[in-house]
Every structure is written in C-alpha cells, then in structure tokens.
Amino acid sequence: MAGDPPTAAEKEALVSSFLEIASGQTPETATQFLQMTSWHLEEALQLFYIDGESALAARPPAPSAAAAVAAAAGVEEALRFAPPPAAALGDPMMHGLGVGEDDDVRAPLPVRRETLYGDGPVSVLRPNATVAFRNFEQEARQSAVWDSDQNATSSSRDNLASLYRPPFSLMFNGPFDKAKLEASCLDKWLLINLQSTDEFSSHMLNRDTWGNEAVAQLIRSNFIFWQVYHDSSEGRKVCTYYNLVSMPAILLIDPITGQKMRGWNGMVHPDRLLEDLLPYLDKGPKEHHAAQPQKRPRKVDQETPMGKQGKTAVEDEDEELARAVAASLEESKEVTEGSDATDDMAEAEAEEENEPSLNIKLDYPPLPEEPTGSRDLLCRVAIRLPNNQRIQRNFLYTDPIKLLWSFCAPQVEDGEKRPFHFVQPIPRASMKLEFASDATFKEAGLANSMINLLWD
C-alpha cells in the first residue's frame, strides 16, 4: 500500500539506484541519505548534491529501537518524580530565566548605543522650504561639515561637503527686499544666485565660480551678493517676478528700479562671468541712471480767451524766435563761407601736431617663450583689447611688466608705432600701468587678473 515503509529488497534496490547515480559513494552514505528523506530516491539525490556531507554532519545518527524505548522510559520516570517547575507554582521571579534549560543557550547580546556622526547633530545642507530665506548664520556654524579641514577625524564625505561649501563670506544675510535696499544705499549692483540642490551645476558654481579669488574680489568691491534656494518662499517670489524656470540662475539687478540688467543660466565659468561684468564696473546704479536721457515733460497749451480762432501766446513767441534765428543764420552764412577753408586747414594742422608720428617704431624688449611649470612660479594675465578681443598669456612673477607691451603690440593695429598703456578695470582699486615702470608682475599684483589696453 502507498505510504507503507519499503521492504528490505526495495531498500537494497533504492541503495543500488543511489550508488549508480552518485558514483564513488559508499552504501552507508546512500543509506543515510535515503533514511533522511524517508527512502525517497529523488529527494535523497537532491539533498546529496545540494548539501553533501554537511547534511550528514548536521543530523545525529538515528538511535536503535531498543535505545529509543529505554530513553522514553527514562524520561517518563524522571517526570513522575521531578518537582513541578517554578512557572507552574506561580513564581514570577523564576519565570523566563531559563532555570533548568540547557547550558548551551547563548546569553542575549548587549545593548549598544552609538552615534552616526560625532557628538553633534548632523548638518542640514539646506533649510526647510517654509522659511522666508536661508539661515546663513546657522549653516555657517555647522563646522562639522563645511569646515572639515579643521577636524582631524573628518571623513571623505566631510571633505566633499567642504569642497562645495557655499560662499558664506560673500553672501548678504536677509530677504530680497533688504538686499536690494542695501545695494541701493551703497550704490552697488545686486548680484543674485538662485540654486537647486537637485542640479549639480549649483554645487559647481559654489566650487569653481564663487570660490574663484578674482570673482570673490570683484564681488566684494562692486556688488551685493545674495544666494537663495529656488523652492524657498523668497526664492519662489523672485522666480515668479523674473519668470525663472531653469536652475541655477544668476541675475544682475538694478537695486533702484528692480530691473534685470543681465542674466545667466546653468554653470557660468569665472572667466566668462568676469568678462560679462566688466561693463558694470565703471559706474554704479545711480551714475547709470544719471547718464540716461531724461524724458521731456509734455507741454499742455491752454486756449486763449479768444477761443479756438486765434493762436496761443506761447506759439506766437516760438514762431518769432524761430524766424529770428533763421535770419541770423542767413546773415552769418555769407560771412563764414570765406573763412571755412582757412579754419579747416588750421584744424588739420593742429590735429597733425597733436597726433604722435606713426612712422617711428617703438622699442619694446624681446618677448621670450611662454613659460611652463609650477603654478607657484607662473602669473597668468588676461588683456582686453580696444576691439573687445581678449588674449591671455603666462609670465613669470619675476618678469618685468614691460613684456606686456611686447606681447600686445603685434596683436593690435599700429601697436608697434602708437603708444598705449594698461588699466585694471576695478573701481576704487584701479591702477594704471605705464611702460616706464620697472616693476615686476609680482610687485604689480597682476597674478590671475584682467586688465584693459587703452591708447595714450
């Protein structure tokens, strides 16, 4: 019948089948695997190929029938004369303490309490979107992340965070309206940067652009810098006002009118930003508005008491003045016709005397080959030519600045015959460089700077 234990002949046949498939095994091994699977050949073979001898080691050998009967009788006798357990007597102190259990039961693991990041709180890299503006003071105090260079036990994550550290030293702390008011009072342009933590370009701006020394010096001297997340309340207000949809964004704002003067999107490299900001360094917002043409007020003429039939007194005076000016011009025309030629010749002669002679070739020192090597010895200078073309070259710190004339003379028309000089385009810190100077590049402080070439 199905489910009955196999006979001795059937067991021998199963062992032979097992040995035919699992070649190289002993009959004892085959018998043990078949006994473990209740003499099912397929299960025994599967267990053998999956677990192998480890299955035999995990299972104790099967006791004989006589030993099993003796063990059962001993357990029954022990239970008959053994005292009741402590749990049955209602002793709560002994319940669950493992009294009488096997000695091989392991003790519970000790409780361990550790911190993931030092003793202080984990730094929050960005504030909640519900705040009015970024809490820059709180972020600046998180030295465990941003100032990780001072922490001897800082990890690689700390160093990465400090690499993309926001420019706290350049930022204006406050909402947009106060930043605009501050820029207006100081007569500086307002430069704002809206960032998004989801865009890596925002972090690149912190690392490469705002971390550039030339850009930082330019911002400190001429701008009020304001940085905010685009999804904060202040950031959403600015994005709606200036219709910003792509992040990160950089805007140059007129603080007096709030007008956007210039805009950039995405990653903006330091050289490009310096070049684009040059036109706004010569004059501040107030001087810019003063130079703009003023609109003339419209005159509203009132009708005379005579009504619509006659002209107003203002119109009569204007017509009389126009006729007088025309008559005066007609009279002076005949007098000046004879002297025009003489005056033109005199002016031409004066201009020729004032202009330098272009036939004389200026003597500039020979220009050596462009040096290469360590950055500690090199001084890179960018020059903006009168045609708005920009050129750049490496010099040694110990080279004289006269090599600037040797480098730029072939780059401009009549550069070897017409004298010129250089000016640093930074207001309040501008310096004029003359050819007669014997200063070196290090003494002139021209390392990693941009200068303008101007004709004498």
Side-chain angles (χ1 to χ4, degrees), residues 82-382:
L89 298 177
D91 188 358
M93 298 299 293
M94 300 300 294
H95 180 70
L97 295 181
V99 178
E101 296 180 357
D102 295 338
D103 296 333
D104 58 349
V105 178
R106 65 173 177 82
L109 295 176
V111 178
R112 299 178 62 185
R113 293 181 174 87
E114 297 180 353
T115 57
L116 295 178
Y117 202 95
D119 298 331
V122 178
S123 174
V124 180
L125 299 184
R126 54 164 298 168
N128 194 324
T130 58
V131 299
F133 53 90
R134 293 176 62 174
N135 192 342
F136 299 106
E137 296 180 357
Q138 181 179 0
E139 291 183 9
R141 287 195 297 267
Q142 301 295 338
S143 59
V145 173
W146 298 121
D147 298 332
S148 60
D149 295 339
Q150 302 176 0
N151 191 355
T153 61
S154 62
S155 62
S156 59
R157 180 179 177 182
D158 299 338
N159 297 331
L160 184 63
S162 63
L163 186 63
Y164 298 98
R165 185 180 189 269
F168 296 114
S169 60
L170 302 178
M171 294 181 189
F172 175 83
N173 299 336
F176 177 72
D177 294 337
K178 290 187 177 179
K180 190 168 62 172
L181 179 61
E182 180 75 9
S184 179
C185 294
L186 297 178
D187 192 22
K188 293 184 177 181
W189 300 102
L190 177 61
L191 188 66
I192 68 175
N193 174 215
L194 289 106
Q195 292 202 335
S196 171
T197 54
D198 299 333
E199 296 293 336
F200 186 66
S201 299
S202 299
H203 307 294
M204 291 178 63
L205 281 172
N206 290 338
R207 182 191 66 181
D208 299 334
T209 304
W210 310 131
N212 184 274
E213 184 62 29
V215 174
Q217 180 182 358
L218 190 72
I219 291 177
R220 292 191 188 98
S221 302
N222 303 276
F223 300 93
I224 295 296
F225 182 71
W226 186 71
Q227 189 186 80
V228 72
Y229 289 117
H230 78 288
D231 54 354
S232 64
S233 59
E234 285 290 306
R236 287 193 297 267
K237 180 174 67 175
V238 174
C239 289
T240 303
Y241 186 77
Y242 293 103
N243 193 22
L244 301 177
V245 294
S246 178
M247 296 297 149
I250 304 175
L251 300 180
L252 183 67
I253 304 297
D254 182 354
I256 299 177
T257 62
Q259 178 186 0
K260 182 180 77 171
M261 308 298 294
R262 187 70 186 267
W264 301 264
N265 284 103
M267 175 59 190
V268 183
H269 294 278
D271 292 343
R272 180 191 169 191
L273 186 64
L274 287 172
E275 186 174 355
D276 292 344
L277 292 177
L278 282 179
Y280 301 94
L281 304 182
D282 297 334
K283 49 189 176 182
K286 295 180 180 179
E287 188 177 353
H288 171 76
H289 283 282
Q292 296 297 320
Q294 301 294 331
K295 294 183 179 180
R296 298 179 61 184
R298 180 180 298 178
K299 295 181 179 181
V300 180
D301 297 335
Q302 297 180 353
E303 296 184 357
T304 60
M306 296 177 61
K308 297 181 181 181
Q309 297 180 358
K311 296 182 179 181
T312 62
V314 176
E315 291 177 351
D316 292 340
E317 293 179 359
D318 291 343
E319 289 182 359
E320 292 179 359
L321 181 59
R323 286 195 296 268
V325 171
S328 176
L329 291 175
E330 190 68 22
E331 293 176 357
S332 61
K333 183 178 180 180
E334 298 177 356
V335 178
T336 57
E337 283 180 353
S339 59
D340 285 344
T342 306
D343 295 341
D344 293 340
M345 293 177 61
E347 292 177 359
E349 293 176 357
E351 291 178 358
E352 291 180 357
E353 293 177 357
N354 294 331
E355 290 184 358
S357 176
L358 299 181
N359 297 326
I360 302 176
K361 186 175 181 179
L362 300 176
D363 186 17
Y364 295 135
L367 182 66
E369 294 184 0
E370 185 173 1
T372 58
S374 176
R375 292 186 177 180
D376 298 335
L377 303 176
L378 298 181
C379 172
R380 190 166 187 84
V381 181

Side-chain angles (χ1 to χ4, degrees), residues 2-17:
D4 293 339
T7 62
E10 292 175 347
K11 290 181 179 180
E12 291 181 1
L14 292 173
V15 170
S16 300
S17 301

